[in-house]
Amino acid sequence: MSIENSYKGDGKKKALIIAVSDYDNLPSKRQLPFCKNDGKEMVEILDKLGYEIKNEWKLVGKVNGDRIEDAVDNFFTSADSKDTLLFYFTGHGIPDGHGDHFMASSDIDSNKPWRKGFNFDDIERAMKRSSATKIVTILDCCFSGAAGIAMGDEEDIAKNARVAMENTFKEGDGKCLLASSLGSQQSFKMKNQDYSLFTYYLIEGLNGGINNEAVNNKGFVTPSSLGDYVYHKVISADKRQKPIMKTAMSGNIVLAYYPNEPREKNEASPTASAATSGPDPIVLSARDYFKRREYERAIVFFDRVLESNPKHIEALNHKGICCIKLKRYDEARNCFNKVLETEQDNIEALDNLDRLKEYEGEAERRDSNAEPTDTEQTKLEKMKQNATKLLELQKYQEALTIYNQILNQNPSDVDSLKGKAASLFSLDNYDEALVCYKEILKIKPSDVEALNNVKLLQRIEKQKRVSDTTDSLFNEGVHYYTLGKFEEAMSCFERVLQINPSHYEARSYKNLLLERKNQHKKYADEMAESDDPSELIKKADYYINKRMYDEALACSEKALEIEPNYSLAWFYKGYALSEKGVYEESIDCYDKATKIDPSMLNGWNNKGVALDKLGRYKDALDCFEKELEVNPDNKLARDNKKLMLQKLGQTGDSDVGSPNKYNDPTLPNYKPYRPETNKKRSGGIRSETKLESRSNPEADKWFYEGTRLAANWTNKDDHQRAIECFDKALAIDPNLGYVWKYKGYSLNALNRKDEAQKCFRKAKELGF
């Protein structure tokens, strides 16, 4: 294959450009007009390089949050596995104060960035869902627009954002990140130019760079060569800026191709250093990391130099020194010997070998630890003194190691047995500590300290058995609660409280279940009096959202008694049966629903999900395709069809399977949804939300963590952390009344009465 063909590849090059310059809720001094120029220039250069950029992927100037969300979803889900994707954002970044960071849209509220902003985590998730295997993410963010940031604090915000970027966007095969995160708007914009500093050099690099410095020796601009170019240009212009470059595993991604302009290599001498062949950015990066004593990172760059020139003298010598610092002596020797194979009299390599011998000699002397003049008893006493010091310094594991060494030579040393027992006790290893104290009593039966500690450890063991029982019961109750099996959950929590009446978490869950029970009784009473099928389906919808499938089933069946041809009632009955695992009956219900209303949204889709549960994959695929015939815009059915095709490919079986024949947890999961009905189609109700929107697992995760922390009623720090957890749950869904209530409890514990009362009022408004 020619170089040019390897650049073009079988897939397409696609780009999504988001450049937000106008902000509705920020003052004029926080607007970023030059970001519009950044976006236009990026579109122009990438268009010239042959990238596909649809109109909906060119978001420049005033860009609202909904457009960003739609564009990101469309861009990543429409890609083929062979495509190369380039995602670019420039504009403000906004932190939420709880560890999350958001790309700011034009209509963002900087006090509540999660509403209209786009979370960094959501970008990473979109990438994972994409079929593309070559993805380049470029973020050029300014954090000066965040609400409530005083001058001087902006750089701290930007530093935190840089850490968030590096933690969020995982480097992997075919995925890489180039990013700039700045606190000062003045340093964001390039002097005397209407562009941001980072994007200015990014565009320059995509054009090949000055003197083709961004082009490698094959004529390619890769994430690695572009990253090195931008990094050195930016820090040369402003030393305060340290762009993020995660390109080491970018694989064979090629961003641009200049076939007639590869960077020239110095062919005169294979041993020539970077200084004689021009300022190679890779060498400059390696030198920079070496000077900063980041030896592991420096080795990565020296290895890249050696890939293109295995006899590069500077790279070999400096890599060897890095290996010495990291105590990798054999690798270091190998580097210096390679230098001497090329230049026998290379002074630096000869000196480095002498230095290596000194390091190896020191290491050997440290390892020997020979003390021939001491008697064995003196050695044991010194070891005992060292162990005692380690115990005082709370270095229990190190102390335990030494006590074990002493007891190997003298098993009856009471002092060492006591030291070992104390170390084990501090490491929460009560069983072995008890064994040590009992051993002491065999040697010295009247030892008061050992007697008292044996009694103490026996009490702890008894309490631990009780605690293990309550913990096991409590965890079982939480498990039942998350499955919607509330009676079983209540039984577990009541048994915990019988053993330990002061178990705060169990009591909290019990109270929550009692409140739910009262609410459900109210609905059940209303249902018993109702003869309106539409109202009964409303109740079924309520119970399904609470994962109370028996009650939902009862509502659906009563509606069908009144109106046997009510398609929506058959649908809800099918859904409840499916969630209970009664898939055959569920399929019959969906058949009746679609027979009455052939175009019902998600009727065929949900039947396909039930068939999948029975292992009938081919039939399930037919249902997803039928759903798309009657509802071509059904994204859920389209996604399920795609997942089913993957499953059939993984199993290698396109025929009807036996139930759960391929019950492989690595295969895709499918989720049925009820239709977003309207009065015209169903003759029934207009649903307010999707099926499980009122029961959000992510919000519940934060709620459970909050209640766990709040269990220690007297610990104010834990209550503060609990409030932070409740706030995160409410940021996901502000209509969770029980979360407001428990936030009020923690505020009350901190004596913040006014705030607590507001939370209780909000909980009451929501029915708690």
Side-chain angles (χ1 to χ4, degrees):
M1 181 185 290
S2 70
I3 290 177
E4 184 174 4
N5 287 337
S6 69
Y7 162 61
K8 291 179 179 178
D10 297 325
K12 297 180 180 179
K13 293 190 179 294
K14 301 178 180 179
L16 169 57
I17 307 299
I18 304 175
V20 187
S21 58
D22 304 332
Y23 295 90
D24 299 339
N25 301 313
L26 294 180
S28 58
K29 65 180 181 179
R30 296 298 196 188
Q31 304 299 314
L32 302 175
F34 50 88
C35 285
K36 184 181 291 186
N37 297 332
D38 290 343
K40 289 179 178 178
E41 287 292 324
M42 282 295 291
V43 169
E44 184 176 333
I45 178 64
L46 293 174
D47 186 59
K48 185 179 75 173
L49 291 171
Y51 283 73
E52 177 186 337
I53 314 176
K54 297 180 180 178
N55 287 332
E56 58 266 32
W57 298 346
K58 302 173 186 176
L59 306 181
V60 179
K62 182 176 174 62
V63 186
N64 287 343
D66 292 341
R67 291 179 65 199
I68 293 177
E69 186 175 354
D70 291 343
V72 170
D73 180 66
N74 175 266
F75 179 68
F76 285 107
T77 57
S78 65
D80 185 76
S81 62
K82 296 179 181 179
D83 291 342
T84 298
L85 304 186
L86 188 152
F87 173 78
Y88 169 85
F89 172 82
T90 183
H92 277 305
I94 306 285
D96 69 348
H98 298 286
D100 286 335
H101 294 76
F102 298 80
M103 297 187 312
S105 62
S106 292
D107 55 346
I108 197 168
D109 178 353
S110 55
N111 292 308
K112 299 174 182 177
W114 53 87
R115 289 190 173 177
K116 294 292 184 180
F118 204 85
N119 198 322
F120 287 171
D121 288 332
D122 290 334
I123 304 171
E124 175 69 9
R125 278 191 283 270
M127 292 179 192
K128 288 180 179 177
R129 288 195 296 268
S130 177
S131 299
T133 57
K134 300 175 184 178
I135 302 176
V136 180
T137 305
I138 303 175
L139 304 176
D140 191 2
C141 295
C142 172
F143 282 82
S144 66
I149 298 178
M151 291 297 291
D153 293 337
E154 295 170 328
E155 288 304 328
D156 291 335
I157 294 289
K159 287 176 184 176
N160 291 335
R162 281 194 284 273
V163 172
M165 287 180 187
E166 291 186 320
N167 290 339
T168 300
F169 298 101
K170 305 299 183 186
E171 187 174 21
D173 188 19
K175 292 184 180 179
C176 53
L177 170 71
L178 288 77
S180 173
S181 169
L182 302 171
S184 167
Q185 192 159 316
Q186 286 70 31
S187 60
F188 188 34
K189 180 180 179 297
M190 187 173 187
K191 292 179 181 179
N192 304 320
Q193 295 285 348
D194 287 330
Y195 302 97
S196 81
L197 180 65
F198 180 83
T199 296
Y200 180 88
Y201 287 117
L202 180 73
I203 294 168
E204 192 173 86
L206 286 169
N207 274 307
I210 297 174
N211 297 325
N212 302 325
E213 291 177 21
V215 182
N216 68 12
N217 56 17
K218 294 181 180 178
F220 295 155
V221 176
T222 65
S224 179
S225 67
L226 179 62
D228 289 338
Y229 181 83
V230 173
Y231 181 89
H232 289 288
K233 287 293 183 182
V234 168
I235 63 173
S236 296
D238 186 347
K239 287 184 170 53
R240 296 170 299 172
Q241 299 194 31
K242 295 286 183 184
I244 301 166
M245 301 292 149
K246 298 177 75 169
T247 60
M249 298 178 69
S250 56
N252 60 346
I253 299 177
V254 177
L255 300 174
Y257 178 49
Y258 296 95
N260 299 320
E261 301 175 5
R263 182 190 300 154
E264 294 182 4
K265 294 170 64 176
N266 187 351
E267 303 294 345
S269 169
T271 64
S273 70
T276 63
S277 61
D280 187 334
I282 301 177
V283 175
L284 293 174
S285 296
R287 290 175 185 166
D288 184 51
Y289 284 116
F290 182 82
K291 289 176 183 176
R292 287 189 279 161
R293 300 183 182 181
E294 296 182 28
Y295 300 118
E296 291 278 11
R297 192 66 176 153
I299 287 173
V300 171
F301 280 87
F302 284 129
D303 281 341
R304 285 165 60 184
V305 175
L306 293 168
E307 283 176 12
S308 58
N309 183 0
K311 297 182 179 181
H312 196 291
I313 298 299
E314 179 188 352
L316 286 166
N317 268 320
H318 281 73
K319 179 184 176 182
I321 294 171
C322 291
C323 290
I324 289 177
K325 296 294 185 182
L326 296 170
K327 299 181 181 180
R328 288 152 54 176
Y329 300 130
D330 289 339
E331 288 183 61
R333 183 179 295 101
N334 187 40
C335 289
F336 302 139
N337 286 336
K338 284 183 179 180
V339 174
L340 295 174
E341 286 173 9
T342 304
E343 292 185 4
Q344 295 181 357
D345 299 324
N346 187 283
I347 301 299
E348 186 177 0
L350 292 168
D351 289 342
N352 286 334
L353 279 171
D354 289 339
R355 184 190 303 183
L356 174 61
K357 291 175 184 176
E358 291 176 8
Y359 273 90
E360 288 180 313
E362 288 177 11
E364 189 176 344
R365 284 193 296 275
R366 282 196 302 270
D367 292 340
S368 64
N369 269 332
E371 296 181 21
T373 59
D374 288 343
T375 64
E376 287 299 317
Q377 189 60 37
T378 305
K379 287 181 182 179
L380 289 175
E381 288 301 323
K382 285 189 175 182
M383 290 172 70
K384 202 182 296 185
Q385 290 172 10
N386 290 336
T388 303
K389 288 179 182 178
L390 288 168
L391 198 58
E392 291 171 354
L393 293 170
Q394 299 182 2
K395 295 183 177 181
Y396 305 120
Q397 193 61 56
E398 294 92 327
L400 180 61
T401 300
I402 296 177
Y403 284 127
N404 281 331
Q405 291 172 359
I406 297 171
L407 290 167
N408 284 338
Q409 299 180 52
N410 185 3
S412 301
D413 189 311
V414 172
D415 289 338
S416 295
L417 281 167
K418 287 183 177 180
K420 178 180 178 179
S423 300
L424 289 165
F425 184 89
S426 299
L427 292 168
D428 296 333
N429 192 338
Y430 303 130
D431 292 339
E432 290 189 39
L434 182 60
V435 170
C436 287
Y437 284 121
K438 287 182 176 179
E439 192 66 32
I440 292 169
L441 291 174
K442 290 179 183 177
I443 301 167
K444 192 177 178 183
S446 60
D447 192 296
V448 176
E449 180 185 350
L451 285 167
N452 290 336
N453 284 332
V454 165
K455 292 177 183 177
L456 172 64
L457 285 165
Q458 287 172 339
R459 283 200 304 273
I460 290 174
E461 183 61 29
K462 183 178 179 180
Q463 292 170 358
K464 186 172 180 293
R465 285 197 297 269
V466 172
S467 176
D468 288 345
T469 303
T470 55
D471 287 348
S472 176
L473 280 169
F474 176 75
N475 291 334
E476 186 179 355
V478 172
H479 176 68
Y480 281 130
Y481 182 90
T482 56
L483 293 175
K485 296 183 177 181
F486 299 121
E487 290 184 7
E488 292 90 339
M490 177 65 88
S491 174
C492 290
F493 296 136
E494 286 179 339
R495 287 166 64 191
V496 171
L497 292 169
Q498 287 173 2
I499 300 169
N500 180 9
S502 62
H503 197 293
Y504 177 80
E505 289 174 290
R507 189 165 299 281
S508 298
Y509 272 101
K510 180 180 177 180
N511 291 339
L512 188 61
L513 286 167
L514 288 171
E515 290 172 1
R516 283 175 174 269
K517 186 175 181 180
N518 292 334
Q519 189 73 12
H520 300 159
K521 185 177 183 304
K522 174 185 171 186
Y523 274 96
D525 292 342
E526 292 175 0
M527 186 194 79
E529 299 170 0
S530 176
D531 58 359
D532 183 343
S534 296
E535 289 300 318
L536 287 165
I537 292 305
K538 283 184 181 178
K539 300 296 187 300
D541 179 73
Y542 169 81
Y543 284 126
I544 281 176
N545 277 295
K546 298 298 182 183
R547 287 173 285 189
M548 299 176 67
Y549 302 117
D550 289 331
E551 290 83 349
L553 191 59
C555 291
S556 304
E557 289 176 340
K558 186 169 182 180
L560 289 167
E561 289 175 10
I562 300 166
E563 189 176 330
N565 291 323
Y566 191 8
S567 62
L568 199 58
W570 285 113
F571 183 92
Y572 272 93
K573 181 179 179 180
Y575 188 93
L577 287 167
S578 183
E579 289 300 304
K580 286 168 63 65
V582 189
Y583 299 118
E584 292 287 2
E585 291 183 38
S586 170
I587 290 167
D588 291 340
C589 292
Y590 288 133
D591 282 340
K592 290 175 181 177
T594 52
K595 184 177 180 180
I596 297 167
D597 182 2
S599 63
M600 167 179 277
L601 184 61
N602 280 323
W604 291 101
N605 176 77
N606 282 19
K607 179 183 175 182
V609 173
L611 288 163
D612 168 66
K613 296 292 186 181
L614 295 173
R616 294 164 58 184
Y617 303 134
K618 184 69 165 52
D619 293 341
L621 180 61
D622 291 341
C623 286
F624 297 141
E625 290 175 340
K626 181 66 175 176
E627 177 72 33
L628 292 170
E629 286 178 18
V630 296
N631 297 299
D633 296 328
N634 190 330
K635 183 178 183 299
L636 181 63
R638 188 163 59 251
D639 290 345
N640 280 348
K641 177 184 175 182
K642 182 178 179 181
L643 291 171
M644 181 53 70
L645 288 169
Q646 290 177 10
K647 178 175 279 194
L648 287 169
Q650 283 180 285
T651 63
D653 187 354
S654 59
D655 297 327
V656 176
S658 59
N660 301 318
K661 179 178 179 183
Y662 302 112
N663 189 17
D664 184 347
T666 65
L667 293 176
N669 291 318
Y670 305 84
K671 190 66 179 174
Y673 271 35
R674 68 171 171 79
E676 296 173 354
T677 56
N678 55 53
K679 293 182 180 178
K680 181 178 180 181
R681 172 172 290 186
S682 68
I685 60 171
R686 177 187 295 276
S687 299
E688 295 176 354
T689 56
K690 289 184 179 178
L691 181 58
E692 293 188 314
S693 62
R694 299 182 203 164
S695 180
N696 190 307
E698 189 66 22
D700 280 349
K701 181 186 76 173
W702 288 111
F703 170 67
Y704 298 147
E705 178 64 13
T707 57
R708 185 189 68 77
L709 289 165
N712 188 354
W713 189 254
T714 59
N715 191 316
K716 293 185 177 182
D717 290 338
D718 281 350
H719 276 295
Q720 186 57 51
R721 288 195 288 271
I723 290 168
E724 292 172 3
C725 290
F726 296 141
D727 284 339
K728 288 185 178 181
L730 293 169
I732 296 167
D733 186 349
N735 294 317
L736 298 174
Y738 55 92
V739 181
W740 284 106
K741 192 163 189 174
Y742 280 84
K743 180 182 176 182
Y745 291 150
S746 284
L747 288 166
N748 234 353
L750 296 175
N751 208 28
R752 291 157 63 178
K753 306 294 185 184
D754 292 340
E755 295 175 74
Q757 287 304 315
K758 289 179 182 178
C759 290
F760 293 142
R761 283 195 292 272
K762 183 68 175 177
K764 191 172 182 181
E765 289 173 11
L766 295 168
F768 285 88

